[in-house]
Amino acid sequence: MATAKDIMHTGATWIPAHETLDRAAQLMRDHNVGALPISENGEQDRMVGILTDRDIVVACVAMGRDPSKTTAGDLAQGTPRWIDAEAEVEAVLEEMQTHRIRRLPVVENKMLVGMISEADLAQHLSDDQIAGWAEKVYSRN
């Protein structure tokens, strides 16, 4: 059975909670990603949330806030979810479906080693698995 490590993409990058959202947007651009795990104090530290490109637009720009003055930590909310690198794909799907999330950090030996996104799922799962996942994550119920 495939594991989280088998389907993740590597190169996930942390953003410290004190960094501004304009810096976060630059990191997303430079790494060609749409989400960054937020760390409490810097690299490989305690995760306090995940910042998405949508968060920057909806919770900052659309609200008239200044992305050069708003920090990643300002938008961190809820309990961050992650999965162990050796977890089976079924556990990955369950975690993402249960919490209705589209991006999931992958951790190995307490270190961030990758991220699983919708694109990763689409590349590695059957059409039926993708359809079931999407129905649970995107349904309004």
Side-chain angles (χ1 to χ4, degrees):
M1 173 71 59
T3 65
K5 193 170 190 175
D6 296 330
I7 68 168
M8 72 178 192
H9 62 270
T10 58
T13 302
W14 290 95
I15 183 139
H18 68 270
E19 283 287 354
T20 59
L21 297 185
D22 59 344
R23 179 65 184 133
Q26 292 164 358
L27 283 171
M28 288 179 188
R29 177 202 61 211
D30 294 348
H31 292 279
N32 195 29
V33 298
L36 299 168
I38 304 169
S39 67
E40 188 171 57
N41 294 313
E43 284 192 39
Q44 302 299 334
D45 199 21
R46 188 173 75 86
M47 187 172 17
V48 296
I50 295 178
L51 179 67
T52 67
D53 46 7
R54 187 174 193 281
D55 294 332
I56 294 171
V57 171
V58 173
C60 180
V61 177
M63 300 300 288
R65 297 168 75 181
D66 183 347
S68 68
K69 293 187 171 82
T70 306
T71 67
D74 291 338
L75 299 189
Q77 51 185 289
T79 302
R81 308 304 307 177
W82 55 272
I83 194 103
D84 187 86
E86 295 305 316
E88 292 186 1
V89 170
E90 289 302 320
V92 170
L93 293 175
E94 180 67 25
E95 183 72 14
M96 293 175 86
Q97 291 168 347
T98 299
H99 300 286
R100 299 179 72 169
I101 55 177
R102 294 174 282 182
R103 297 173 178 106
L104 186 63
V106 180
V107 175
E108 184 173 56
N109 299 321
K110 298 184 180 181
M111 303 289 279
L112 179 69
V113 294
M115 185 83 78
I116 297 173
S117 68
E118 292 170 281
D120 300 312
L121 296 178
Q123 291 177 350
H124 294 93
L125 302 179
S126 71
D127 289 346
D128 288 341
Q129 286 175 305
I130 294 294
W133 176 85
E135 181 180 342
K136 290 178 181 165
V137 170
Y138 288 107
S139 71
R140 298 213 183 256
N141 297 334

